[in-house]
């Protein structure tokens, strides 16, 4: 086939319709009127946009902290500000009712233009100039707008239809009726081809749901429901097949013709889409090459010497001209010169046009802007922007209820935590008696009920909110919902699911197991306090996440708030010792429950009387220690009724509720831009070619599938019924071209069973006639996924590639050779310009989406794999880059590699490169599988002829796609696809199963590639981890501050530790508070480990390095932080609080802090490895940590024998077992006259008395040794859990 036999709108004036009949280009406009559903939107105010000389620069100079260190090193204070241009003098006039396309290669500034015009990007390091007007007003808020992002922010447990119905209820308020809203939703579903997946859940990485393209269309559908006048769309066709992309652009064109203004960035538009553009903005490295009418674009380029070749897609041609080819120094020099010339030509043209304007010759587009007095100054009323408060609360509450109910692990985690905590704590404090130890244990039980349970609720809510807040940020930023409505609806939705059941379950079980008095009034008081603390906890969590979306920072804030409240409660520290500035916090849940237990529900002025061994009850002075009044006096509680504390608790709940709203209103989330790193020496010049080995030296692999079928069975959980889904029908093919994502995952061994899903595979896959083992598949195959999760956000592109090369390439290669290979691949994939830019994350803008895609592909191409699977490798890439990537893949194929890829939108000149093609219709049914050159003749024999001016790939996708825009077209397309499937089943050739180039499985096994040895992988992983973590200053500060801030609070509350009788409680409380470090370890794990675990899973699937290397690297990377923070903790607690100021005690305290944090982190690793649902893992881990805290030895003195045996596994037992003797021995206490017993003696005279009363008279040295052994064993168990998980994963892959 000739290289230029693709579709063209400019030269050929002919297109291919879904029915396979060519029609003139002018008929596309007629097709817009005849096809598709007439979406039932109400009219909108037209909006015209005018942009003049828009420039955007980013400050690349060091931040103040880095600058300070540089001054100390160089003793120079001159640091000039360095700005890097992002956009340069962009001007564009966009009349209302038009579609404006932004074209350019990856990294050209398309997304930056959209983000700037939509006011979504800002920051202190940005410098912006120019003018942006919307109907003559600089305020975007004066018009109704919507933005479709590259990322899909959708709720995974809702179906597509439910997502759109909830969105319509929020975006289409009255006077639109419910019936009209449902009709609009169904129209949009049909218009965007979502009918087949309308009742499929969105899904996420853990639970498969809609495909990437279906999520993309759902995101667009949500924004379309807002009925905006101005619609921004960022690469909206990325992830869509050619047919769906064309239908989508026709929909946008129809919306524009009804008065809307559409501004869309697009990477690879098929040729038929070109005629749908009214205006065009062409960019190269932030500079405009053209801006104006699309119809004037090609004539303009012809005038400056760039003639469109025959039969070539105009958009592909323009993108090719605007791209910088970095694959060789010669190509880069030529393309850079060409782009500079185009930039200069456009500037000259604009200057000439400006001169004409000054002479009264205004261009048509500008005249259209000027002749729009009917829209200038028009604004959308505030009532049009979103539904009222009542409707928002109603819709959001129903949506949140459904989302919560459908998250079985999340809801089960909350109920599991409440049930297990109540049972275990009830068991620990089982049927307390009334002796002095029982009274002390009652105080501990009260503290657990009032504080610890609410702390666990707060931690889980913080974790959950870090995900839920993303939907709020999007909808609030769009003006769809209000803060108050979101906060109220969240509590209403979970009132019956969690807010009532969790406190009730805990209160009922705990209350009666502990043995509190069987009085309804006392129980209801306890339940009321626990309920209030539950609401305080969730409101505190909202405050924390409102301040920071980062879990590490939010949990740090929550820890500080909880520590302040718990210490101020008076259980661990006497109220008169509490600093004045927080003394007002002492009135809390602990005080309320203490009053409820010791004072109320009796008429005796001395309060409740416990098991005094002396006669005459409260009238006997010897019974004073057993009376409620005495207990309350030692606690210095000023209340004799629970009414006041409960009112104060209610005030706390209300204050945190409104405080969270105020913070959400004040601290709005905006996207920043990452700073590029310093440029390293470019080692890539002249090394752009990989070594090509002769075919006779390469083992070529032929893949054959025989009756390959995949079914997914979703396992039922309690009320959720199991379901079975057929993903792939029986396949009998020899694919070396393209297929479904599920087929690629199955072939590459990337389908892993989980607790929720089980895969049933039938049929056979062979490599050169032999059935490969899973080890062989992992060794000789590389897999490029759709997402880019393998990239580390705080590394540059070059660093990601170099580390990947060091970990994946053979050990016989030197470091320089590996770096050279990385530089060669970097050049081949056109990544040179962004090589020193950080990859970036969700909230910090780094490289573009297309550049991330290319970096991911580059990592997999590094190893020159025998078989390379790629899932939509060209999605998100511009046409030029997509072509260059396919060229790289062709090079690998020519070397004897087998390349299998899925592709949605192939440019026409790439079709001839596909040796074998597999066409799969919806549901995994096979339509064609054979040689690429035989595909068109096969369809021609069935009566479907591809026009000579049509892209064959577009023709094939149009042929097998379902058209859901109306019932007539759906029936016709469904019948057509069914006949195509039947025709292939009847005519497909029988495969020759005897062909094989490798005679035995043993020969195939000789190709197995081993993992990088740990001695090599470990230093590389440590270096990579250090760089990635060092650049994430937020995580570094949060990690250090977790322990440091906790130590500061302890020092403020307890310093100085005294020697009166009241200080006995304070000293015990002081060492008991060390147990909170157990939770700090878990929180630090949750903030870091899940992300690192996911990267490890992906790289382990690639056979890069072993479990041992990852685990040792993770441990060694965490240990320095734990050592430093433990030493700082010891400084503040030993020296600041007033323990024995000896070197031995200092290092003992530091070692205890280190061991406790390490054990907490090990438990976090265990449960985050066992459960992919991090929220569920947090709940389960919290239960174990809480049990260890309660049984440490201070809060409960009479533990049942079984739990005592279990307690030997807890590091906290051994920690307090050595801290108490080391800190209390030799201390002498004094008491007041009131505190003396009837015989005139103090109840406690020395530290040894305290140790005897609390059963701490043990060998402190052995306990310290046991703590160290415990820390080592915990970490070893965590490793074995991870190792077992990976063995099981590979066994089931």
């Amino acid at each position: 086939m000739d290289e230029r036999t693709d579709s063209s709108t400019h030269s050929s004036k002919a297109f291919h319709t879904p029915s396979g009949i060519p029609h003139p280009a002018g008929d596309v406009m007629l097709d817009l009127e005849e096809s598709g559903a007439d979406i039932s939107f109400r009219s909108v105010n037209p909006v015209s946009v005018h942009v003049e000389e828009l420039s955007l620069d980013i400050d690349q100079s060091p931040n103040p902290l880095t600058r300070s260190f540089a001054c100390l090193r160089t003793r120079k204070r001159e640091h000039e500000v360095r700005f890097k241009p992002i956009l340069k003098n962009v001007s564009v006039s966009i009349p209302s009712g038009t579609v404006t396309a932004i074209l350019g290669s990856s990294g050209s500034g398309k997304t930056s233009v959209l983000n700037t015009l939509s006011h979504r990007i800002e920051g202190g390091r940005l410098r912006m100039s120019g003018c942006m007007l919307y109907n003559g007003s600089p305020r975007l808020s004066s018009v109704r707008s919507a933005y479709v992002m590259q990322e899909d922010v959708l709720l995974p447990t809702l179906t597509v239809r439910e997502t759109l119905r909830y969105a319509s209820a929020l975006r289409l308020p009255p006077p639109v009726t419910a019936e009209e809203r449902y009709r609009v939703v169904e129209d949009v579903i049909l218009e965007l081809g979502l009918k087949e997946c309308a009742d499929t859940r969105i899904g996420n990485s853990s639970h498969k749901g809609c495909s990437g393209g279906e999520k993309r269309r759902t995101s667009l559908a949500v924004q379309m429901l807002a009925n905006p006048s101005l619609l921004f769309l960022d690469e909206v066709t990325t992830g869509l097949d050619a047919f769906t992309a064309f239908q989508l652009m026709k929909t946008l064109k129809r919306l524009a013709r009804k008065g809307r203004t559409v501004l869309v960035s697009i990477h690879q538009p098929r040729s038929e889409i070109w005629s749908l553009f009214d205006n065009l903005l062409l960019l190269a490295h932030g500079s405009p090459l053209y801006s104006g009418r699309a119809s004037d674009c090609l004539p303009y380029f012809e005038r400056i010497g760039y003639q469109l070749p025959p039969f070539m897609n105009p958009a592909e041609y323009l993108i090719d001209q605007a791209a910088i080819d970095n694959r060789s120094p010669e190509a880069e020099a030529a393309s850079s010169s060409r782009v500079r010339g185009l930039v200069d030509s456009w500037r000259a043209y604009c200057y000439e046009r400006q001169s004409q304007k000054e002479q009264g010759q205004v261009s048509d587009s500008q005249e259209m802007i000027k002749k729009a007095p009917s829209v200038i100054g028009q604004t959308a009323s505030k009532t049009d922007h979103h539904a009222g408060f009542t409707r928002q609360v109603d819709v959001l509450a129903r949506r949140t209820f459904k989302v919560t109910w459908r998250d079985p692990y999340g809801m089960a985690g909350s109920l599991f935590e409440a049930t297990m905590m109540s049972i275990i704590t009830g068991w620990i404090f089982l049927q307390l008696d009334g002796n002095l130890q029982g009274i002390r244990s009652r105080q501990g039980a009260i503290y657990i009920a009032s504080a610890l349970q609410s702390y666990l609720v707060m931690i889980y809510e913080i974790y959950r909110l870090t995900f839920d807040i993303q939907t709020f940020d999007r909808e609030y930023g769009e003006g769809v919902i209000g803060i108050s409505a979101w906060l109220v609806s969240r509590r209403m939705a979970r009132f019956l699911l969690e807010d009532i059941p969790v406190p009730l379950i805990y209160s009922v079980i705990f209350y009666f197991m502990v043995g509190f008095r069987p009085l309804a009034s006392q129980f209801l008081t306890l339940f009321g306090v626990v309920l209030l603390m539950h609401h305080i906890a969730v409101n505190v969590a909202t405050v924390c996440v409102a301040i920071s979306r980062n879990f590490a920072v939010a949990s740090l804030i929550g820890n500080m708030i909880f520590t302040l409240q718990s210490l101020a409660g008076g259980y661990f520290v006497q109220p008169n010792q509490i600093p004045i500035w927080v003394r007002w916090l002492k009135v809390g849940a602990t005080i309320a429950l203490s009053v409820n237990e010791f004072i109320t529900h009796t008429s005796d002025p001395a309060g409740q009387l416990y098991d005094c061994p002396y006669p005459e009850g409260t009238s006997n002075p010897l019974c004073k220690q057993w009376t409620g009044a005495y207990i309350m006096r030692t606690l210095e509680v000023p209340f004799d009724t629970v009414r006041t504390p409960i009112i104060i608790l209610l005030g706390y709940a209300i204050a945190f509720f409104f405080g969270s709203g105020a913070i959400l209103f004040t601290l709005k989330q905006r996207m920043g831009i990452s700073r590029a790193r310093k440029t390293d020496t470019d080692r890539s010049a002249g090394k752009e070619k990989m070594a090509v080995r002769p075919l006779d030296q390469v083992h070529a692999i032929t893949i054959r599938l025989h009756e390959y079928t995949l079914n997914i069975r979703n396992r039922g959980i309690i009320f959720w019924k199991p379901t079975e889904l057929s993903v792939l029908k029986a396949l009998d093919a020899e694919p070396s071209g393209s297929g479904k994502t599920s087929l690629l995952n199955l072939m590459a061994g990337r389908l892993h069973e989980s607790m929720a899903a089980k895969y049933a595979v039938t049929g056979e896959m062979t490599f050169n006639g032999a059935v490969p083992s899973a080890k062989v598949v992992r060794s000789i195959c590389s897999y490029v996924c759709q997402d880019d999760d393998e990239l580390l956000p705080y590394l540059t592109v070059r660093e990601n590639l170099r580390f990947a090369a060091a970990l994946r390439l053979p050990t016989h290669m030197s470091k320089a050779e590996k770096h050279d290979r990385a530089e060669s691949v970097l050049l081949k994939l056109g990544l040179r310009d962004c090589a020193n830019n950080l990859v970036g994350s969700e909230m910090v803008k780094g490289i573009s989406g297309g550049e991330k895609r290319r970096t991911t592909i580059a990592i997999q191409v590094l190893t020159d794999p025998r078989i390379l699977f790629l899932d939509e490798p060209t999605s998100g890439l511009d046409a030029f880059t997509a072509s260059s990537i396919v060229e790289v893949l062709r090079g690998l194929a020519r070397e004897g590699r087998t390349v299998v890829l899925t592709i949605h939108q192939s440019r026409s000149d790439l079709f001839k490169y596909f040796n074998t093609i597999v066409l799969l219709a919806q549901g995994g049914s096979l339509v064609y599988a054979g040689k690429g050159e035989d595909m068109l003749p096969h369809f021609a024999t069935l009566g479907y002829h591809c026009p000579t001016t049509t892209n064959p790939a577009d023709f094939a996708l149009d042929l097998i796609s379902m058209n859901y825009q109306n019932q007539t077209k759906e029936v016709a397309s469904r019948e057509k696809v069914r006949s195509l499937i039947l025709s292939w089943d009847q005519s497909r050739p029988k495969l020759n199963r005897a062909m094989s180039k490798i005679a035995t499985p043993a020969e195939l096994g000789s190709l197995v590639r081993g993992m990088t040895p740990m001695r090599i992988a470990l230093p590389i992983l440590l270096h990579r981890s250090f760089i990635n973590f060092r650049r994430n200053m937020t995580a570094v500060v949060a990690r250090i501050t977790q322990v440091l801030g906790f130590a500061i609070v302890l020092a403020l509350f307890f310093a100085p530790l005294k020697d009166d009788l009241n200080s006995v409680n304070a000293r015990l409380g002081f060492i008991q508070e060390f147990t909170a470090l157990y939770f700090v370890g878990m929180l630090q794990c949750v903030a870091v480990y899940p992300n690192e675990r996911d990267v490890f899973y992906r790289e382990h699937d690639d056979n890069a390095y072993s479990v041992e290397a990852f685990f040792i690297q993770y441990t060694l990377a965490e240990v320095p932080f734990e050592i430093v923070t433990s030493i700082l903790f010891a400084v503040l607690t030993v020296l600041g609080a007033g323990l024995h100021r000896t070197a031995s005690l200092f290092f003992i305290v530091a070692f205890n802090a280190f061991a406790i944090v390490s054990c907490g982190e090990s438990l976090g690793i265990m449960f985050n490895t066992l459960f992919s649902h991090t929220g569920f893992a947090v709940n389960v881990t919290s239960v174990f940590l809480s049990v260890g805290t309660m049984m440490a030895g201070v809060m409960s003195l009479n533990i049942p024998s079984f739990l005592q045996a279990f307690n030997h596994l807890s590091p906290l037992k051994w920690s307090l077992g050595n801290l108490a003797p080391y800190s209390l021995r030799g201390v002498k206490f004094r008491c007041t006259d009131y505190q003396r017993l009837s015989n005139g003696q103090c109840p406690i005279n020395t530290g040894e008395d305290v140790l005897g009363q609390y059963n701490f008279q043990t060998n402190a040295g052995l306990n310290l040794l046991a703590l160290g052994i415990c820390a080592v064993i915990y970490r070893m168990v965590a490793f074995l859990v991870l190792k077992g998980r990976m063995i099981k994963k590979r066994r089931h892959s």
Side-chain angles (χ1 to χ4, degrees), residues 1114-1161:
Y1114 180 85
T1115 300
L1116 293 180
E1118 303 303 307
V1119 164
F1121 287 98
E1122 294 173 359
I1123 292 176
V1124 171
T1125 54
S1126 297
I1127 291 174
L1128 293 174
F1129 181 84
V1131 169
L1132 289 168
T1133 52
V1134 176
L1135 303 181
L1139 292 175
H1140 297 307
R1141 294 176 180 175
T1142 63
S1144 59
L1145 185 58
F1146 175 86
F1147 287 109
I1148 287 170
V1149 169
F1151 179 77
N1152 274 268
F1154 171 81
I1156 295 172
V1157 171
S1158 177
C1159 289
E1161 189 154 2

Side-chain angles (χ1 to χ4, degrees), residues 775-834:
K775 189 174 183 179
V776 169
V777 172
R778 285 192 301 270
S779 297
I780 67 177
C781 300
S782 287
Y783 185 68
V784 179
C785 302
Q786 284 192 40
D787 52 50
D788 304 307
D789 294 340
E790 194 172 342
L791 303 179
L792 294 172
Y794 293 98
L795 296 184
T796 65
V797 172
R798 176 173 277 116
E799 288 167 343
N800 268 287
L801 281 173
R802 286 186 174 181
F803 282 118
L807 290 170
R808 296 162 189 264
L809 294 178
T811 56
H812 63 77
M813 296 179 67
S814 67
K815 180 179 180 180
E817 289 174 330
K818 292 180 179 180
H819 282 183
D820 289 344
R821 174 71 64 85
E823 295 295 335
S824 175
V825 174
L826 184 144
L827 265 185
K828 274 184 168 292
L829 293 177
L831 292 167
R832 182 177 176 182
D833 283 350
C834 64

Side-chain angles (χ1 to χ4, degrees), residues 342-400:
L342 291 173
V343 172
D344 294 339
S345 296
W346 179 248
R347 286 177 182 170
Y349 178 78
C350 291
Y351 178 78
E352 177 185 352
R353 192 169 59 175
Q354 181 66 23
S355 300
Q356 295 176 354
K357 178 181 178 181
E358 293 173 354
Q359 298 173 9
Q361 303 175 8
V362 185
S363 66
D364 293 340
S365 60
Q366 292 172 318
E367 191 65 32
M368 291 178 66
I369 297 293
K370 291 181 64 177
K371 291 182 179 180
S374 60
V375 300
I376 297 295
Q378 290 186 7
T379 61
S381 64
K382 294 295 181 183
T383 57
D384 288 338
H385 277 277
H386 52 70
F389 174 79
T390 305
R391 174 176 289 274
Q392 289 181 41
V393 171
D394 174 60
V395 174
L396 291 174
R398 286 188 285 111
R399 186 177 72 180
T400 306

Side-chain angles (χ1 to χ4, degrees), residues 97-281:
T98 59
V99 174
T100 300
I102 305 177
L103 297 181
S105 59
S106 295
S108 61
K110 301 186 296 297
T111 299
S112 297
V113 168
L114 289 177
N115 286 336
T116 305
L117 292 181
S118 60
H119 296 190
R120 291 175 52 83
I121 190 167
E122 62 181 28
R125 295 187 294 113
L126 296 177
R127 182 178 65 183
M128 190 181 303
S129 62
C131 175
M132 297 180 292
L133 299 176
Y134 311 89
N135 281 352
S137 170
R139 295 184 302 110
L140 178 63
S141 58
S142 64
V143 301
R144 176 181 287 185
S145 64
Y147 190 104
V148 180
M149 302 181 293
Q150 286 190 35
E151 298 82 15
D152 301 308
V153 181
L154 302 168
L155 295 171
T157 55
L158 294 181
T159 66
V160 172
R161 178 173 278 113
E162 290 167 345
T163 298
L164 298 182
R165 286 190 173 181
Y166 287 125
S168 68
L170 292 170
R171 289 167 167 79
L172 297 175
V176 181
T177 64
E179 182 179 348
E180 289 176 325
R181 287 198 302 272
Y182 287 162
R183 186 169 66 250
V184 169
V185 167
E186 296 304 318
D187 289 345
V188 170
I189 287 174
L190 293 176
E191 186 71 24
L192 297 181
L194 292 168
K195 182 177 179 181
E196 285 294 299
C197 65
D199 296 312
T200 302
R201 294 187 185 180
I202 299 296
N204 54 23
S205 57
S206 301
H207 302 283
K208 179 67 176 174
C210 294
S211 68
E214 291 165 342
K215 290 179 182 178
R216 191 93 277 260
R217 283 176 277 161
T218 304
S219 296
L220 172 60
V222 168
Q223 297 301 332
M224 287 174 58
L225 289 171
N227 197 22
S229 298
L230 178 59
L231 184 58
F232 301 98
L233 305 105
D234 192 10
E235 299 180 16
V236 69
T237 61
T238 295
L240 306 184
D241 61 81
F243 173 80
T244 306
F246 184 34
Q247 297 298 320
L248 175 58
M249 290 305 301
K250 288 199 294 183
T251 298
L252 295 176
K253 182 66 175 180
R254 280 194 294 272
L255 291 174
R257 295 186 67 177
K258 294 178 182 179
R260 292 159 185 81
T261 304
V262 179
L263 187 60
V264 55
S265 68
I266 191 167
H267 266 154
Q268 300 182 60
R270 58 188 283 179
S271 53
E272 292 90 339
I273 292 177
W274 172 262
S275 63
L276 302 179
F277 299 150
D278 297 299
N279 307 299
L280 187 69
L281 174 61

Side-chain angles (χ1 to χ4, degrees), residues 429 432 441-450 510 514 516 1195:
F429 298 99
L432 294 175
S441 294
R442 284 177 188 269
Q443 295 176 7
I446 287 172
Y447 171 79
I448 294 298
S450 61
F510 176 76
V514 172
F516 291 122
M1195 288 191 288

Side-chain angles (χ1 to χ4, degrees), residues 493-514:
R494 296 198 167 116
F495 186 75
L496 295 178
L497 293 178
E498 293 179 1
D499 290 355
I500 289 295
V502 169
L504 184 61
I505 290 172
Y506 181 84
S507 299
V508 170
I509 299 174
F510 176 76
Y511 186 90
F512 293 104
M513 286 189 70
V514 172

